[in-house]
Amino acid sequence: MEPLDPRLSGWSRPTRERVPVRTIAAVIAMVLATGVAVLLVVQLHRVLIWIAVAAFFAVLLAPVTAMAQRRLRLNRATATFVVFLGSVLVVAGIVTVLVRPVASQGADLVKSAPTVVQQAAAGHGPVGDLLTRLHVQKYVTKYVADHPDLTTSTKQLAQFAPAVIRSVANGVAAVLTIFVLAYLMVLEGPTFVNAWLAALPAERRERVSRVATDCGKAVTGYMTGNLLISVIAGTITWVALLILGVPYAGVMAVFVALTDLIPLVGATIGAVLVTLIAFLHGTTEGIVMAIVFVIYQQVENHLLQPVIMSRTVKLNPLTVLVSVLLGVELAGILGALLAIPLAGVIAVVARDLYDTRRGRLKPEPTVGADEVPADQAVT
């Protein structure tokens, strides 16, 4: 039987439409542009981190500058200069009062390391007494005898102090760059924001302004609250160690304050290490420091955190943990410190997009899960 002629049966073979050359070229260009953008981000990641840090400091200091401009009746340039000059003086005062003794105690700690090792091997000193009580002294003595270069290596720790100082000096360039960027952001911020808002359609201008205000309140509230809690933690640690007579109280207090800035696990890390060092000084001191940290953690979690940060953007623990992990992977400790306020900004934007899709725009910007009005927020 002969096949039917498609023209007679009404069936026709589907024809393929050719993709326009312009479309192919556009797709290739988009792929290449994405690759170039990723390459630029990888190559410029240090500069991008500096810009991000400067932006957070600018957001933190912008309300203070606006207050100085309003209360002291200064122009923007003068108010910005006064605020940043005050910030420099505060930092210089902290360095003079705190960092110099900490650096001195740190150098003493490094120099005393060989003596501590020798005393531990002989069963003398606080470390040796602790090892003897734990019945592990003979193992430590055997290990030190099998590794005669251990004491020599510990003596060489003091030689690393100049290298550390040089590394800190190399970071001065980064600090100055961040300072200048933050200064210019605060100085030119209103002009830039107003020009950006003026370029938007009128129906979107008010919405963007509200969201930006909400984001600024979230970042400022979180950073100031977190810094305040860290100062309280370091101060309590310093006072407790001084009362107990534990050496290097300044070093350990600063360490606790810095680790307390890290969300979720930072306070625990600082407390555990300082408690172990206190145990090396004496059993009573170690037990007292453990009790101090347990009580303080309860006060911080149930009193300080709710009171100080009640008006900032709240995130559930899973979001906090994921944000911290991503921040650590991308930018180390600095990423962990900036992850939470950045996640808060993302949450504010996401909430606004969700409200917009539901057709429920906020009548005024709010802060936090309780949606406290931004003009009533305390930062």
Side-chain angles (χ1 to χ4, degrees):
M1 183 177 181
E2 295 183 0
L4 295 175
D5 190 345
R7 293 173 296 179
L8 300 177
S9 62
W11 176 85
S12 61
R13 180 178 298 175
T15 58
R16 295 183 178 179
E17 295 183 2
R18 298 184 59 183
V19 180
V21 177
R22 182 179 300 178
T23 303
I24 298 175
V27 172
I28 296 176
M30 291 178 61
V31 173
L32 292 177
T34 303
V36 171
V38 172
L39 181 61
L40 287 176
V41 170
V42 173
Q43 294 295 328
L44 302 176
H45 68 281
R46 180 179 301 179
V47 177
L48 294 177
I49 291 176
W50 291 353
I51 294 175
V53 175
F56 277 104
F57 279 114
V59 172
L60 185 64
L61 295 176
V64 182
T65 304
M67 183 182 300
Q69 185 177 1
R70 184 175 59 255
R71 297 283 180 86
L72 303 178
R73 297 181 180 179
L74 304 173
N75 56 40
R76 186 71 181 183
T78 306
T80 304
F81 177 79
V82 169
V83 169
F84 273 80
L85 179 61
S87 302
V88 171
L89 293 177
V90 170
V91 172
I94 294 175
V95 171
T96 303
V97 174
L98 185 61
V99 174
R100 289 182 58 186
V102 168
S104 175
Q105 292 182 8
D108 294 340
L109 178 62
V110 172
K111 292 179 181 178
S112 64
T115 305
V116 173
V117 173
Q118 293 175 352
Q119 290 179 348
H124 303 302
V127 179
D129 294 340
L130 178 62
L131 296 176
T132 302
R133 290 196 298 269
L134 297 176
H135 305 289
V136 295
Q137 175 60 43
K138 58 181 181 180
Y139 301 105
V140 175
T141 304
K142 183 177 182 304
Y143 182 82
V144 174
D146 295 339
H147 298 79
D149 58 334
L150 181 62
T151 305
T152 305
S153 301
T154 350
K155 291 180 180 179
Q156 295 176 351
L157 288 176
Q159 302 176 0
F160 288 99
V164 173
I165 295 176
R166 285 193 298 269
S167 299
V168 173
N170 292 333
V172 171
V175 173
L176 291 177
T177 303
I178 293 173
F179 179 84
V180 173
L181 285 173
Y183 182 86
L184 293 177
M185 287 178 182
V186 174
L187 179 62
E188 302 294 339
T191 303
F192 175 78
V193 171
N194 292 333
W196 181 51
L197 291 176
L200 296 176
E203 61 274 8
R204 297 182 56 188
R205 195 173 302 160
E206 183 180 357
R207 173 190 169 194
V208 173
S209 178
R210 290 175 178 175
V211 174
T213 302
D214 209 348
C215 292
K217 290 289 185 180
V219 174
T220 304
Y222 177 82
M223 294 182 69
T224 53
N226 206 17
L227 286 173
L228 179 58
I229 292 176
S230 297
V231 170
I232 294 174
T235 303
I236 291 177
T237 303
W238 179 63
V239 172
L241 292 174
L242 281 181
I243 294 175
L244 294 174
V246 179
Y248 314 114
V251 176
M252 289 185 282
V254 172
F255 176 75
V256 169
L258 292 177
T259 55
D260 196 69
L261 290 171
I262 303 175
L264 295 180
V265 297
T268 303
I269 293 175
V272 169
L273 291 180
V274 171
T275 301
L276 290 177
I277 294 176
F279 267 112
L280 295 179
H281 185 72
T283 305
T284 303
E285 288 81 353
I287 294 175
V288 171
M289 287 307 302
I291 295 174
V292 168
F293 280 122
V294 169
I295 295 176
Y296 172 75
Q297 287 299 319
Q298 297 301 317
V299 173
E300 178 179 310
N301 294 333
H302 297 91
L303 180 62
L304 295 180
Q305 288 281 357
V307 171
I308 296 179
M309 294 189 174
S310 61
R311 297 181 183 273
T312 61
V313 174
K314 295 182 180 179
L315 302 172
N316 62 70
L318 178 60
T319 304
V320 171
L321 179 59
V322 172
S323 302
V324 172
L325 292 177
L326 293 177
V328 170
E329 185 66 23
L330 292 175
I333 298 298
L334 181 61
L337 299 179
L338 300 180
I340 305 304
L342 183 58
V345 171
I346 295 175
V348 171
V349 175
R351 185 182 64 190
D352 179 78
L353 294 176
Y354 177 73
D355 290 340
T356 302
R357 285 187 173 274
R358 294 174 57 189
R360 294 171 53 189
L361 287 176
K362 296 183 299 179
E364 60 179 337
T366 60
V367 177
D370 299 332
E371 296 189 357
V372 178
D375 57 355
Q376 299 179 12
V378 178
T379 59

